[in-house]
Amino acid sequence: MAASIGRRETLAQLFERNGLKLPYVDTFDEFIAVDAPAMLTYGPLTEGFTIEGVTVLTESELFATPVRRSLRRRQKTTNVDLMIRDLAELKIGDPVVHIKHGIGRYAGLEIIDTGYGQEEFLRLDYAKDAKLFVPVAQLQMISRYSGSDAEHAPLHSLGKNDWEKAKKKAAEKVRDTAAELLNLYALREKSVGHAFEFSRVDYDSFAESFPFEETPDQLAAIEAVLDDMKKDRPMDRLVCGDVGFGKTEVALRAAFAAVAGGKQVAILCPTTLLAEQHAHTFADRFSAWPVTVSELSRFRTAKQSKAVLEGLENGTVDIVVGTHKLLTDKVKFARLGLVIIDEEHRFGVRQKELLKKLRADVDVLTLTATPIPRTLAMSLEGIREFSIIATAPEKRLSIKTIVRTETPDVIREAVMRELKRGGQVYFLHNDVSTIENRREQLAQLIPEARIIVGHGQMNERELESVMRDFYQQRYNVLLCTTIIETGIDVPTANTIIMHRADKFGLAQLHQLRGRVGRSHHQAYAYLLTPGKDAMTVNAEKRLEAIQNLEDLGSGFYLSMHDLEIRGAGEVLGEHQSGEISAVGFDLYNQMLKRAVKSMRNHETVDLDEPFEAMAEINLHSPALLPAKYIDDVQQRLSFYKELAGCETFNAIESVREALGDRFGTLPEEANTLIETHRLRLYCQMLGIARIEAAEEVIVITFDAKPKFEPMRLIELMQKSRNMRMLGPTKLKIEQKTPTIESRLSYLRGFVKALDSSKVT
Ligand code: ADP
């Protein structure tokens, strides 16, 4: 008796491979009816028993070690998981990348009769109406394309070598990037940093003064940072989380640990306003502690700045918050131990160079709201440390998002609703030439409003003073273009109204909307449009999507597709984005992963053929997940992709189990599919390029350099007289295998005979 239907599949395979084919019985009546010495059933039994000459054995009694619980499946997310999730989201018309043929559009799954039975194929459309059918067993060749603009993805022509060129170019860049990253890493490994020590009691009492319960991601990020700091290697950790997800608390805890450990902390902000805001937050949280927090920015007088500089040099200032001014030579620290960088991508090139130098010496913590794709983070595992805060603090109300045709009434109502509760409003009007007209119109429409204007043609200081006046509530409506500060937190501004919202991309809408809803008030976002008829279909879709994305966490993940390139640019350098667009993020990322891995193992990097050519296996029998077994196309696609990505026999078995548990006993076609993948792994191990197995004849094609002992093949050929070489790499076997079962069993025997590693 197996623990579940899925486990029964696994057990049955195990018996069968050892020459025992046991029938399935599901009910007592079946048990009576079936005439066999032993049979397989399933149920929640932990121990077996014997009654009336019938013995029931549970699987845990068969194995020396306890059975893995089938429900646990994999705990850790892997790159493959994320890619599967991406493929499961695939919609007809989405661009995808085929490793051999380039960028095409997904056109659905199609069942085709290949002459030997049905097989399922993914149809991809290429330029000039060319179509490509990809067998589902080769799904690992395919990944979702996300480049700068998926809607206008550059489709390739089949049979031209543009794709080869693009791939080559990207591969060169990838190699350079990997080398650079590893260099920096090696530098850090060699340099000895400060191993912080501090009293956990003090730390706990500082943590207590945080008025909220940390979110799990937040806590994980904090613990990771503290661990890094305790090590005698300089920290270089990136904490990534959407605006308002609580990154500042991570910074505060790190700062506490550093100061408690006797070091100074520098917090670098991209703008004067952000510096001011952080300085307030830090001064507040440290007010009960003998810790001096100072600010160094243009808002301070010359005299104040001089005092701060002196304090830093003689060690009386513990924490300094400032802009790039902190990076000048004039600033000397008595005992700098930790640098916290907010939104590094907003610093200039020169400043980034200065920051790079810092990295090899002191602990560095970088905060960013640009989502770093998890797959990228995983590829760089061990080179650069990431913490991802993917969920909003609890109780945070999601932002009510309202799409409306723009009318004066709608505007007045929206503004007044906010002003009446004492709040403030952003009005986004992204056109400087008409912004003054808009101001007049708003002033007439809403006499109660105190309006201030900010836009990109103002100089930095003017803008700053606008923002500061708004922040200090001297005005209650900020009429602005998208230029206005994104990082700054105005907790009392909880309504944003966007004119021509249909013109913004999804990620931009998400980010703009994120300016409100930073406190516990209900926030509103009004997305105003010129009406249905004046919008493109895609714009309508985007607005619908953002409206449905009220849940803060999922918004973060979904908007990521738009932002993957920007996220990658932030980690790898902006100059990569062209290459990423050319081959798509997924492929770029896989190349990077491979380059990093080979360089670390001191192997030569071969990216020209970044993926091992798959063995082609044709068993002349249907190998698919029939629609009557799993009717949802998307789910079939995910399972196909998962199987195609399996690198171990165990991984394949756990897919078999999952199928059994979710959809019941596997039909023969599905079983053949799974067995095909098992054979594929053998082929990979042995260096077999192709198996063509029909009822009368089997033809095996070996790689130019097979990986098994040649003697084994020779012995095999001597023993069985039905084998003959057809040329240097082709073996013909005359063997009658009338059923798929007999074919599989013959092939299993064959690959095992070649294999010396004795894998089961
Ligand atoms: P970020 O720096 O990631 O943009 P902040 O750290 O400024 O976000 O946090 C935004 C707001 O959320 C702040 O007012 C902060 O006090 C609050 N906050 C942070 N963490 C939590 C939490 N775990 N629970 C509730 N509120 C939180």
Side-chain angles (χ1 to χ4, degrees):
M1 180 174 288
S4 69
I5 297 186
R7 287 292 312 165
R8 177 167 70 178
E9 293 289 325
T10 311
L11 270 184
Q13 285 304 320
L14 206 66
F15 284 124
E16 200 176 325
R17 258 173 256 142
N18 288 290
L20 205 59
K21 189 156 170 54
L22 301 182
Y24 287 176
V25 291
D26 287 359
T27 61
F28 191 70
D29 288 346
E30 279 177 34
F31 169 68
I32 300 289
V34 172
D35 180 26
M39 34 205 123
L40 281 172
T41 188
Y42 65 95
L45 200 64
T46 40
E47 241 175 78
F49 54 87
T50 302
I51 191 168
E52 307 261 338
V54 177
T55 300
V56 175
L57 263 180
T58 65
E59 57 174 318
S60 46
E61 290 166 307
L62 286 178
F63 297 109
T65 47
V67 182
R68 297 167 301 141
R69 281 297 306 148
S70 63
L71 294 177
R72 46 82 269 192
R73 304 217 53 210
R74 237 180 281 104
Q75 297 290 323
K76 220 173 141 211
T77 328
T78 62
N79 263 335
V80 176
D81 285 344
L82 290 164
M83 283 171 52
I84 291 163
R85 176 138 49 122
D86 284 347
L87 263 196
E89 280 171 13
L90 205 61
K91 290 187 293 298
I92 303 237
D94 283 351
V96 292
V97 182
H98 186 290
I99 178 81
K100 287 237 167 73
H101 304 287
I103 303 166
R105 280 184 197 283
Y106 168 64
L109 282 178
E110 287 185 19
I111 293 180
I112 295 175
D113 200 321
T114 53
Y116 314 111
Q118 297 186 325
E119 245 193 275
E120 204 155 12
F121 290 83
L122 206 71
R123 194 183 106 197
L124 304 183
D125 291 346
Y126 280 82
K128 303 203 188 81
D129 287 333
K131 291 177 188 25
L132 183 71
F133 291 91
V134 185
V136 289
Q138 295 184 8
L139 272 189
Q140 76 285 28
M141 305 268 211
I142 291 180
S143 53
R144 192 176 50 79
Y145 172 84
S146 62
S148 48
D149 182 0
E151 272 171 36
H152 303 109
L155 295 196
H156 286 98
S157 297
L158 288 179
K160 286 250 182 76
N161 65 356
D162 308 0
W163 173 241
E164 283 305 317
K165 274 194 214 138
K167 246 188 345 184
K168 252 210 170 80
K169 209 164 143 233
E172 273 161 30
K173 278 269 171 136
V174 161
R175 215 168 297 169
D176 294 349
T177 307
E180 194 183 317
L181 284 168
L182 282 165
N183 238 340
L184 266 178
Y185 172 76
L187 270 180
R188 260 192 319 124
E189 277 288 87
K190 264 188 268 162
S191 57
V192 182
H194 182 71
F196 284 95
E197 283 173 37
F198 51 88
S199 135
R200 191 78 201 189
V201 180
D202 285 349
Y203 171 82
D204 285 344
S205 105
F206 179 77
E208 289 274 293
S209 65
F210 182 50
F212 312 101
E213 181 92 22
E214 300 88 352
T215 64
D217 281 356
Q218 207 175 16
L219 206 56
I222 292 171
E223 286 304 323
V225 168
L226 295 182
D227 274 354
D228 287 350
M229 290 177 69
K230 286 179 200 155
K231 289 187 188 134
D232 66 353
R233 206 187 64 157
M235 160 168 82
D236 187 9
R237 180 170 292 272
L238 184 65
V239 173
C240 143
D242 210 349
V243 281
F245 279 20
K247 296 182 295 293
T248 313
E249 187 59 24
V250 181
L252 281 160
R253 303 283 175 95
F256 183 89
V259 173
K263 291 284 186 177
Q264 286 173 307
V265 181
I267 299 154
L268 266 164
C269 306
T271 69
T272 313
L273 275 168
L274 269 177
E276 187 177 42
Q277 194 161 54
H278 276 320
H280 277 147
T281 311
F282 275 74
D284 263 6
R285 275 301 291 285
F286 281 96
S287 58
W289 297 84
V291 171
T292 314
V293 181
S294 298
E295 182 188 338
L296 193 68
S297 76
R298 236 175 340 87
F299 288 162
R300 307 280 106 180
T301 63
K303 200 167 146 207
Q304 284 170 325
S305 297
K306 191 158 167 268
V308 174
L309 288 176
E310 278 168 15
L312 286 173
E313 192 161 1
N314 66 27
T316 50
V317 168
D318 301 294
I319 300 180
V320 63
V321 186
T323 53
H324 58 269
K325 277 186 164 238
L326 279 174
L327 293 171
T328 54
D329 292 340
K330 271 195 273 172
V331 186
K332 298 202 172 57
F333 292 91
R335 40 171 214 288
L336 182 64
L338 170 68
V339 175
I340 299 172
I341 309 169
D342 198 11
E343 299 292 334
E344 181 173 3
H345 67 106
R346 293 171 64 187
F347 287 92
V349 177
R350 215 171 52 84
Q351 287 140 9
K352 279 190 190 151
E353 282 306 310
L354 292 169
L355 289 173
K356 215 179 237 172
K357 281 201 200 115
L358 271 180
R359 286 220 147 81
D361 295 331
V362 294
D363 280 10
V364 175
L365 175 65
T366 311
L367 311 178
T368 181
T370 309
I372 306 301
R374 262 186 214 265
T375 44
L376 177 67
M378 281 185 239
S379 300
L380 298 180
E381 215 163 71
I383 296 190
R384 185 125 201 233
E385 275 82 38
F386 298 85
S387 295
I388 295 178
I389 304 184
T391 47
E394 247 181 86
K395 291 205 206 89
R396 181 71 50 80
L397 296 167
S398 59
I399 303 166
K400 280 237 157 64
T401 304
I402 302 144
V403 180
R404 283 284 150 78
T405 305
E406 182 171 331
T407 66
D409 286 349
V410 170
I411 294 176
R412 183 171 159 87
E413 191 193 319
V415 175
M416 283 315 292
R417 186 210 282 250
E418 185 63 56
L419 297 192
K420 275 192 194 136
R421 63 172 179 180
Q424 292 170 286
V425 178
Y426 293 101
F427 193 108
L428 203 75
H429 181 98
N430 208 22
D431 178 3
V432 181
S433 65
T434 54
I435 204 164
E436 196 43 42
N437 296 347
R438 174 66 81 174
R439 193 186 64 78
E440 280 166 24
Q441 183 214 5
L442 286 181
Q444 268 183 8
L445 187 64
I446 315 154
E448 298 88 338
R450 282 169 283 132
I451 305 169
I452 188 169
V453 180
H455 58 70
Q457 282 172 21
M458 294 174 154
N459 70 34
E460 199 187 322
R461 293 196 184 200
E462 281 173 317
L463 257 180
E464 205 169 78
S465 101
V466 166
M467 211 48 221
R468 210 169 178 212
D469 284 345
F470 184 63
Y471 177 59
Q472 291 169 351
Q473 304 196 40
R474 295 201 187 102
Y475 298 88
N476 52 19
V477 174
L478 175 59
L479 173 59
C480 57
T481 58
T482 49
I483 191 78
I484 287 297
E485 193 71 63
T486 49
I488 192 130
D489 198 352
V490 184
T492 46
N494 281 306
T495 294
I496 183 165
I497 302 174
M498 300 180 209
H499 168 65
R500 289 306 304 252
D502 54 307
K503 287 194 172 171
F504 295 110
L506 196 56
Q508 207 177 6
L509 284 171
H510 174 67
Q511 290 215 318
L512 288 168
R513 180 174 65 170
R515 282 187 211 174
V516 295
R518 311 286 298 267
S519 65
H520 294 291
H521 296 289
Q522 175 65 56
Y524 298 91
Y526 288 85
L527 312 188
L528 303 185
T529 71
K532 251 190 163 51
D533 302 338
M535 281 192 286
T536 65
V537 179
N538 278 326
E540 245 180 277
K541 274 198 213 143
R542 277 198 301 271
L543 293 177
E544 196 177 315
I546 190 95
Q547 216 172 349
N548 294 334
L549 278 181
E550 288 195 349
D551 168 21
L552 294 156
S554 74
F556 184 70
Y557 177 72
L558 276 184
S559 64
M560 216 159 97
H561 287 350
D562 283 29
L563 289 170
E564 267 171 349
I565 296 209
R566 203 193 304 171
E570 192 158 321
V571 179
L572 306 171
E574 310 288 345
H575 52 282
Q576 296 294 323
S577 47
E579 265 54 52
I580 301 176
S581 277
V583 300
F585 173 77
D586 280 340
L587 178 56
Y588 180 92
N589 188 38
Q590 288 178 53
M591 286 182 175
L592 184 67
K593 185 175 176 187
R594 180 175 277 233
V596 166
K597 196 170 153 209
S598 340
M599 282 186 193
R600 293 193 105 168
N601 297 340
H602 305 287
E603 293 162 7
T604 45
V605 187
D606 177 15
L607 293 177
D608 299 335
E609 192 51 68
F611 302 90
E612 281 177 42
M614 289 283 291
E616 249 178 80
I617 297 169
N618 191 349
L619 300 180
H620 291 219
S621 174
L624 71 157
L625 300 170
K628 61 178 176 357
Y629 182 56
I630 306 178
D631 63 353
D632 183 61
V633 177
Q634 238 54 35
Q635 284 193 350
R636 289 211 302 276
L637 198 57
S638 314
F639 276 106
Y640 285 138
K641 176 82 182 177
E642 183 159 4
L643 274 171
C646 284
E647 298 282 345
T648 62
F649 292 104
N650 275 343
I652 293 180
E653 288 315 312
S654 77
V655 176
R656 189 201 298 274
E657 242 172 85
L659 282 171
D661 285 343
R662 286 177 57 187
F663 305 100
T665 307
L666 275 71
E668 185 177 85
E669 300 95 314
N671 195 46
T672 310
L673 178 73
I674 300 234
E675 291 301 317
T676 308
H677 280 286
R678 290 184 61 97
L679 281 175
R680 166 179 67 83
L681 284 193
Y682 274 112
C683 289
Q684 238 156 275
M685 280 177 350
L686 300 171
I688 295 175
R690 196 182 154 100
I691 296 181
E692 188 76 36
E695 286 180 19
E696 311 265 325
V697 181
I698 297 174
V699 177
I700 311 255
T701 313
F702 300 105
D703 289 343
K705 281 187 234 147
K707 298 180 198 154
F708 55 86
E709 297 274 339
M711 259 324 277
R712 291 195 165 255
L713 181 60
I714 296 170
E715 280 169 14
L716 203 60
M717 289 178 71
Q718 282 169 345
K719 250 198 302 196
S720 32
R721 311 235 131 231
N722 57 350
M723 298 183 187
R724 192 155 53 86
M725 291 303 289
L726 305 174
T729 57
K730 246 189 197 153
L731 177 72
K732 183 173 170 190
I733 310 171
E734 306 221 7
Q735 174 76 29
K736 283 208 171 35
T737 52
T739 61
I740 177 67
E741 250 170 58
S742 54
R743 222 164 297 150
L744 279 170
S745 136
Y746 182 83
L747 286 169
R748 269 201 295 264
F750 177 81
V751 287
K752 276 200 189 134
L754 284 189
D755 178 26
S756 46
S757 64
K758 291 274 172 287
V759 203
T760 52

